[in-house]
């Protein structure tokens, strides 16, 4: 089992590097997710419009 970054045996350099790796992987994932959503919206415009309408309705009825 790999050691968690918070374990005492982990070096501070490797901890910050893994944090940078995590941020880089997360940014890549979010870029790909956004690209997939845009592609889906182009391929299925009616479904995308319905999803936007549902989201707007959710935001209108949301209580702060």
């Amino acid at each position: 089992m790999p050691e968690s970054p918070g374990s005492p045996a982990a070096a501070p350099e490797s901890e910050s590097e893994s944090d940078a790796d995590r941020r880089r992987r997360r940014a890549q994932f979010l870029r790909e997710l956004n690209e997939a959503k845009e592609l889906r919206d182009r391929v299925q415009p009616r479904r995308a419009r319905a999803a936007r309408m549902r989201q707007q309705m959710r935001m209108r009825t949301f209580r702060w």
Side-chain angles (χ1 to χ4, degrees), residues 5-58:
S7 67
E13 298 82 24
S14 65
E15 187 175 321
S16 63
E17 181 61 32
S18 66
D19 193 39
D21 287 342
R22 186 185 61 79
R23 281 197 302 270
R24 192 168 33 255
R25 284 194 311 271
R26 183 174 185 273
Q28 177 68 26
F29 170 77
L30 291 175
R31 276 194 300 273
E32 290 174 359
L33 181 64
N34 201 21
E35 184 180 324
K37 284 181 180 177
E38 289 173 3
L39 176 62
R40 186 184 62 201
D41 290 352
R42 282 197 307 272
V43 171
Q44 302 174 329
R46 184 182 299 163
R47 186 175 291 177
R49 181 174 184 270
R52 277 196 308 275
M53 294 296 178
R54 281 193 301 274
Q55 177 65 19
Q56 287 173 357
M57 200 55 127
R58 249 184 262 130

